[in-house]
Amino acid sequence: MNTKTLALALATAATLAAADLKIPIERYTLKNGMRIVLSADNSAPVVAVYVIFGVGARSEEKGRTGFAHLFEHMMFQGSENAPKGVLDKLVEGNGGMLNGSTHPDFTDYFEVLPSNKLPVALWLEADRMRGLKITKENLDNQREAVKQERRLRMDNQPYVTAIIDNWPMLAYRNWGNSHSLIGSFEDLNAATVDDVARFFKTFYAPNNAVMVVAGDIQAAEAKKWIETYFADIPPQPQPKHPDLAEPAQTEARREVYKDKFAQVPAVVVGYTGTPKRRSPEYYAILMIDAILTGGESSRLYQGLVKGRQSAIQVEANLGWPFAGPADYREPAVYAINVVHKPNFTGAQLVAQVEEELGKLVKEGVPAAELERARTFLRAQRVGEMQSSYRRAGLLAQYELFDSNPDLVNTEMESLFAVTPAQVQAAAKKLFAPQRKNVLEIVPAPKAEGK
Amino acid sequence: MTHWIPIFAILLASALGAQAIDRTKPPETPPLAAYKLPPVAESTLANGLRVVMVEDRRFPLVTLRLAFSAGSKFDPTETSGLAETVSALLREGTSKRTSRQIAEELASLGANLNTTVSADNLVIGASVLAENAPKLLDLVADLARNASFPEDEIKLRKQNREQELIDARSRAETLAEEKFAALVYGSHPYGRILPTAESIARIDRAALVSYRDRLLVPNNAVLILIGALPPKDQALKLAASKFGDWAKKPLPTPPAAKFPEPKRTLVLVDRPGSVQADIRAGQIAVTRTNPDYFPLVVGNSILGGGSSSRMFLSIREEKGFAYDAHTELLPNKDASMFAAVTQVRNEVIGDAMETLLGELEGMGQAHVKAQELTDVKNYLNGTFVIRMETQNGLANQLSMTRTMGLPESYLEMYVTRIRSVEPEQIRNAAKKYFTPGDATIVVVGDAQKLAKPLEKFGAVIVEKSKP
């Protein structure tokens, strides 16, 4: 093998990637331990404020499933100086939009506004971090909203209950990972005002938060507002991270779920024992994922949707269905979800997926195909950098999980450094038969649906 | 005298720094800045193809649209789904490239390509690493001009589409949208938001080729290029080299814009086992060029446009009936559709319907409050500016205005026109378009649980959902 040429080709690719984009980053910590990342881009009159807390559904305790998400709803129910309704009214009434979402390992809140309205968002975020208004009335009301959300997004939909409630129970053994992230009605009913207050104090302290302000800002001015509003919010003892360790999987698992709403069968195939975030093996799996499912030239699309004509739709992710590469934190599962034609069985689809994975394990990946996957990932990254909201989100996740927001500029180099040999080795390790989990979702006739 | 201005500024700045800021009140901020559209260069090739270009060097990226006035409204009734099948198959083979070659070339260029169909338009949309823009243009021209519709690809597409339709109709929201559009638009093609399995089965290669030849023609299209482009004359020359020798043709007439008069109707689509009732209530409304349109946009947003809208506050925050409560205004070229949408638990269906209809009625009774109006104008203004931040956002707006036949000033004037809407205009628009007495109401859910409590809202027509 001509290693010299290869090294040269890699260097060229990496240089190109670096020249693509340089997202400016200024990073500092307030005296209360709150981490701040500023990223100025004055080309469009838009600013995103993104506050992310290091707590998610995997920090929940037994008997309180769904609590992290219920709490997230409470963050929109009013604070010391911005009573219920004021947050939405001030953001939207100033031309912005806002939302929040709960993930396995973090919870995020954001506002995107026309840039001269930045101080309004900072004031609102500080006010709710300083003192949330927690009342029984608001809790009862949001409990109902969350139950409605569960009915809307899960209980009345095909596939979703199987994916959100059953898949983690199949793939994980540690309760922290396997419990329902949206929660049971029983546990939601059990949540008290005291639980909310305790959760707020423990996890929503400034030293457990990262705030990114990205877009059309003047850094000096932004810093002044941030200092004024946030710097004297008292810190709290650092919360403990839950022990999420999983035992190594020693034999394949399989479950069949009869879905009362699904009309078209689907199957999930996932592998446990995924590597440490940011390790060379992690980057190798991201390349594997691009090779398998990145666009219509990918192996699973060409192999299943086109070639065998068995699948209708294929998707996969490291951390599916709740996370992707940016917010992946081990332990997780690399899972492939296939919606397929009814004239094939779930077992046949699994065999076809395994055939494709086996080919990668046995034969590796040709250089040209790996290069195509690199270009695919590079284009994807450049595309998503256009919106200040997306930039802010990535910077926040990289600061929270890696203490290094500059990864947004440099991680492509780590991806491009992955060699065909590393791809093959990572595939061999990951796609071991004893690490396999299969969830077949089959349409159930109404009478026997569960 | 000039020197004291900077001094004054310094004094102000230090005052801001020194003064203990009152944290109990939100900070004062200046009003939203005026919106300025970036310079748009527009030309027309000899064959009628319009070329719209916007320079944007923020990212090494080029975004493209090739938009045709060739949406599903041109589908013959017996082969509804023809436009979407053409659209899906454009990337599945041309006289020069196989489906797989197209897929691999796109990935190698760092390009992402989608083809979409709406009631009015068929759009090829793509973005690409800037250095590969010329190659993408070559590929897109090939798809648009030389799509060959190979028989095996047609067969596969029809099989997959059959399953996708079964899947779509297993979802309550699809059933509600489908029934609602059919009632609001009547027999006009706007009323068919999804094809049937039977009509898909009837589509053959000849129909696809004929559709391509009649509607995918340069004088029916606009090409939009945004991004790190070559200098304008060079970019235009490049476009001409790919599309210039494409023959112009006479265009088919779109279906007549005839729609049924709005009439209070209540249809319950039975979905046994549903744990919620999906409600959709509204009616036909005017297009973007009608004087009522901007008052309607503002009124629609006050009623159900965000998390401070009236419906969100009453149905979700105050009563806890639903997670989602919003309104939609979906403007097609010849008519728009207004709908108030929510999904409530079965037990509260009666109260929820009453609340929803009450909110509709309320918009036509009293003037909206001054603060409410200011807030919503800011919201529409600000979110418009935010949408324009990305190349995709701008491309979608340019594509919309050009294919919908709107004046070139539409985007530049959008914010001004939102700002000029008066409370009386909103009330008048609400009386015309938000009237419960004229509303088409569709509920999708378990008829055993919902039929009875719905009776007090009028004669309930119960229909079976067909999977």
Side-chain angles (χ1 to χ4, degrees):
Chain A
M1 185 166 110
N2 187 338
T3 45
K4 208 169 158 193
T5 323
L6 184 70
L8 194 68
L10 283 176
T12 319
T15 317
L16 263 180
D20 272 350
L21 269 183
K22 175 74 186 157
I23 303 296
I25 288 161
E26 188 177 350
R27 173 176 180 248
Y28 64 102
T29 304
L30 298 181
K31 62 176 182 277
N32 57 13
M34 182 172 167
R35 291 183 270 167
I36 310 290
V37 179
L38 305 180
S39 178
D41 173 354
N42 305 104
S43 59
V46 174
V47 67
V49 174
Y50 200 103
V51 182
I52 182 169
F53 293 92
V55 59
R58 292 208 281 197
S59 296
E60 282 162 1
E61 293 165 1
K62 285 190 180 162
R64 290 292 181 276
T65 59
F67 191 80
H69 173 238
L70 177 61
F71 183 87
E72 177 228 306
H73 275 243
M74 294 300 289
M75 285 286 278
F76 293 85
Q77 294 301 307
S79 54
E80 200 59 43
N81 299 298
K84 183 172 163 116
V86 170
L87 171 70
D88 297 275
K89 210 167 139 54
L90 273 184
V91 174
E92 295 181 348
N94 279 296
M97 37 208 197
L98 73 164
N99 214 337
S101 59
T102 310
H103 302 253
D105 301 308
F106 70 92
T107 308
D108 62 9
Y109 302 86
F110 72 85
E111 292 81 29
V112 184
L113 301 113
S115 46
N116 60 4
K117 299 296 184 180
L118 170 64
V120 176
L122 296 176
W123 181 79
L124 286 164
E125 286 300 354
D127 204 60
R128 63 176 164 179
M129 194 185 289
R130 187 182 297 274
L132 195 61
K133 201 112 196 154
I134 301 162
T135 69
K136 171 98 174 36
E137 193 193 351
N138 288 344
L139 178 61
D140 289 342
N141 174 284
Q142 288 313 299
R143 219 193 298 271
E144 283 314 306
V146 168
K147 288 183 193 169
Q148 277 305 125
E149 185 176 357
R150 186 183 161 108
R151 289 187 186 99
L152 173 70
R153 292 191 169 161
M154 291 179 65
D155 301 345
N156 214 32
Q157 299 286 350
Y159 311 119
V160 187
T161 303
I163 289 168
I164 296 200
D165 279 353
N166 290 54
W167 172 250
M169 285 198 297
L170 176 69
Y172 296 112
R173 289 297 166 267
N174 183 326
W175 185 89
N177 301 314
S178 67
H179 75 270
S180 172
L181 303 194
I182 192 149
S184 66
F185 279 16
E186 195 189 347
D187 285 0
L188 290 169
N189 284 336
T192 66
V193 166
D194 281 350
D195 291 334
V196 177
R198 195 159 37 89
F199 198 84
F200 178 67
K201 192 164 178 196
T202 313
F203 294 112
Y204 278 67
N207 48 322
N208 197 33
V210 166
M211 181 167 73
V212 180
V213 181
D216 181 24
I217 56 168
Q218 306 303 325
E221 197 190 42
K223 278 186 194 165
K224 208 179 292 172
W225 287 113
I226 292 168
E227 181 70 27
T228 305
Y229 289 145
F230 291 92
D232 63 350
I233 301 175
Q236 299 295 333
Q238 273 295 339
K240 281 201 301 273
H241 278 298
D243 175 18
L244 298 173
E246 286 284 330
Q249 188 178 347
T250 51
E251 57 183 354
R253 306 171 186 137
R254 177 174 171 270
E255 183 187 328
V256 177
Y257 180 90
K258 290 184 178 166
D259 193 314
K260 69 172 176 173
F261 287 121
Q263 300 282 345
V264 180
V267 62
V268 184
V269 188
Y271 293 84
T272 57
T274 52
K276 201 166 156 41
R277 179 180 170 87
R278 303 282 169 216
S279 62
E281 207 184 323
Y282 156 90
Y283 288 110
I285 290 178
L286 301 193
M287 292 309 303
I288 289 174
D289 182 48
I291 292 163
L292 291 176
T293 65
E296 296 197 346
S297 65
S298 64
R299 289 188 175 197
L300 289 180
Y301 187 86
Q302 285 296 328
L304 272 57
V305 178
K306 299 305 289 280
R308 297 177 186 82
Q309 307 201 351
S310 53
I312 298 157
Q313 199 187 305
V314 181
E315 59 166 353
N317 226 333
L318 181 56
W320 186 93
F322 304 111
D327 58 336
Y328 161 79
R329 199 185 242 189
E330 66 281 0
V333 180
Y334 178 74
I336 301 160
N337 178 32
V338 185
V339 181
H340 64 92
K341 289 180 187 160
N343 54 327
F344 289 84
T345 63
Q348 282 176 308
L349 260 295
V350 173
Q352 293 175 0
V353 168
E354 286 181 300
E355 234 177 280
E356 293 294 339
L357 304 180
K359 218 156 59 185
L360 193 60
V361 171
K362 279 199 277 308
E363 297 160 29
V365 57
E369 191 180 351
L370 188 61
E371 185 56 36
R372 202 166 62 215
R374 286 178 186 145
T375 309
F376 178 88
L377 291 171
R378 181 178 143 226
Q380 198 176 48
R381 172 49 54 91
V382 175
E384 66 185 340
M385 284 298 100
Q386 290 181 80
S387 99
S388 46
Y389 161 69
R390 191 70 193 119
R391 279 199 303 278
L394 278 178
L395 291 170
Q397 286 164 17
Y398 293 173
E399 174 62 48
L400 183 74
F401 291 135
D402 310 301
S403 301
N404 181 14
D406 195 46
L407 279 165
V408 88
N409 292 315
T410 59
E411 70 170 344
M412 280 292 137
E413 289 166 31
S414 310
L415 265 174
F416 287 3
V418 174
T419 63
Q422 283 173 314
V423 165
Q424 193 171 1
K428 189 172 176 190
K429 193 166 159 198
L430 180 64
F431 301 134
Q434 75 276 13
R435 290 175 166 203
K436 184 176 65 167
N437 297 272
V438 171
L439 176 64
E440 290 180 37
I441 305 172
V442 294
K446 292 279 176 304
E448 46 177 286
K450 63 188 241 183
Chain B
M1 282 301 285
T2 52
H3 67 273
W4 74 262
I5 296 176
I7 289 173
F8 183 63
I10 289 163
L11 283 175
L12 249 190
S14 61
L16 179 77
Q19 155 204 337
I21 284 188
D22 182 1
R23 282 198 305 231
T24 63
K25 292 197 180 64
E28 296 287 334
T29 49
L32 295 183
Y35 176 71
K36 191 90 195 83
L37 191 71
V40 178
E42 191 149 0
S43 329
T44 304
L45 303 186
N47 60 7
L49 177 68
R50 299 164 75 185
V51 183
V52 177
M53 293 184 294
V54 179
E55 177 78 15
D56 174 14
R57 297 211 165 265
R58 293 175 297 161
F59 304 94
L61 202 69
V62 167
T63 295
L64 169 152
R65 296 286 182 277
L66 182 59
F68 297 90
S69 300
S72 58
K73 69 182 175 192
F74 291 97
D75 285 353
T77 313
E78 68 281 6
T79 49
S80 74
L82 184 56
E84 59 153 63
T85 309
V86 169
S87 156
L89 288 170
L90 287 180
R91 63 190 302 159
E92 303 299 350
T94 71
S95 50
K96 296 180 186 166
R97 293 167 167 97
T98 64
S99 160
R100 181 150 197 162
Q101 282 169 338
I102 292 167
E104 289 181 356
E105 191 174 336
L106 284 168
S108 304
L109 296 178
N112 170 7
L113 182 135
N114 293 298
T115 56
T116 53
V117 164
S118 62
D120 295 304
N121 302 316
L122 185 156
V123 183
I124 303 176
S127 65
V128 65
L129 291 171
E131 72 261 26
N132 295 330
K135 286 182 180 153
L136 178 73
L137 212 56
D138 184 75
L139 178 63
V140 168
D142 189 32
L143 304 189
R145 301 178 61 176
N146 309 319
S148 59
F149 308 107
E151 289 289 359
D152 54 339
E153 297 289 353
I154 298 174
K155 191 168 152 233
L156 176 60
R157 177 64 199 153
K158 285 165 69 172
Q159 281 173 6
N160 286 356
R161 189 57 179 152
E162 192 192 330
Q163 296 302 319
E164 286 170 9
L165 290 171
I166 292 171
D167 177 57
R169 292 192 173 105
S170 70
R171 295 162 200 270
E173 65 270 23
T174 313
L175 299 175
E177 283 164 24
E178 202 174 16
K179 174 54 67 182
F180 185 75
L183 292 169
V184 167
Y185 287 130
S187 58
H188 189 278
Y190 285 169
R192 292 189 310 248
I193 62 164
L194 283 177
T196 63
E198 294 76 29
S199 67
I200 290 288
R202 280 191 289 266
I203 292 170
D204 60 12
R205 186 167 184 279
L208 296 163
V209 169
S210 148
Y211 198 92
R212 177 199 69 192
D213 290 345
R214 284 182 303 126
L215 286 148
L216 303 194
V217 294
N219 45 318
N220 197 32
V222 55
L223 173 68
I224 294 162
L225 294 168
I226 302 172
L229 304 173
K232 193 189 147 201
D233 52 337
Q234 240 174 286
L236 197 60
K237 210 177 281 174
L238 181 68
S241 75
K242 305 295 175 197
F243 297 99
D245 59 350
W246 190 9
K248 176 176 183 158
K249 280 188 192 162
L251 297 176
T253 325
K258 281 210 194 96
F259 305 99
E261 284 297 310
K263 181 173 123 238
R264 172 72 173 249
T265 315
L266 173 53
V267 173
L268 170 58
V269 180
D270 187 20
R271 184 174 183 259
S274 246
V275 300
Q276 281 191 320
D278 279 54
I279 306 173
R280 198 161 262 269
Q283 66 173 74
I284 196 161
V286 293
T287 66
R288 289 187 175 89
T289 52
N290 187 291
D292 282 347
Y293 182 72
F294 281 86
L296 190 58
V297 167
V298 175
N300 173 65
S301 193
I302 289 173
L303 183 57
S307 50
S308 2
S309 70
R310 291 182 179 189
M311 272 182 53
F312 189 91
L313 291 181
S314 63
I315 294 178
R316 170 168 159 164
E317 293 299 307
E318 190 189 315
K319 312 233 160 132
F321 290 155
Y323 175 72
D324 165 47
H326 72 274
T327 54
E328 296 172 2
L329 181 64
L330 304 166
N332 289 323
K333 191 171 184 185
D334 292 329
S336 71
M337 186 163 71
F338 160 77
V341 181
T342 184
Q343 309 81 18
V344 303
R345 57 184 192 274
N346 291 334
E347 306 79 62
V348 299
I349 178 72
D351 292 340
M353 279 285 285
E354 224 153 85
T355 308
L356 187 149
L357 296 175
E359 292 295 349
L360 290 178
E361 183 117 56
M363 291 295 295
Q365 288 169 340
H367 280 161
V368 298
K369 292 186 214 81
Q371 187 61 48
E372 208 176 15
L373 184 58
T374 308
D375 284 353
V376 155
K377 285 178 175 177
N378 281 343
Y379 178 61
L380 290 166
N381 178 347
T383 48
F384 178 79
V385 172
I386 292 167
R387 274 204 301 276
M388 296 297 220
E389 186 188 18
T390 61
Q391 291 183 1
N392 267 333
L394 178 59
N396 289 341
Q397 293 296 316
L398 287 171
S399 162
M400 184 277 291
T401 52
R402 270 45 177 190
T403 50
M404 294 291 191
L406 297 171
E408 273 179 32
S409 62
Y410 185 87
L411 297 178
E412 193 86 74
M413 290 301 293
Y414 180 85
V415 167
T416 310
R417 295 181 68 182
I418 290 289
R419 292 244 165 247
S420 65
V421 170
E422 299 289 340
E424 181 60 15
Q425 292 175 298
I426 298 173
R427 189 167 69 165
N428 286 338
K431 279 187 202 154
K432 287 194 222 169
Y433 310 107
F434 299 162
T435 331
D438 288 340
T440 292
I441 304 167
V442 172
V443 179
V444 177
D446 196 327
Q448 278 189 358
K449 299 196 171 110
L450 302 173
K452 195 95 190 122
L454 281 173
E455 276 168 10
K456 69 170 166 177
F457 301 97
V460 184
I461 304 163
V462 182
E463 296 189 1
K464 280 256 160 288
S465 67
K466 295 166 277 188

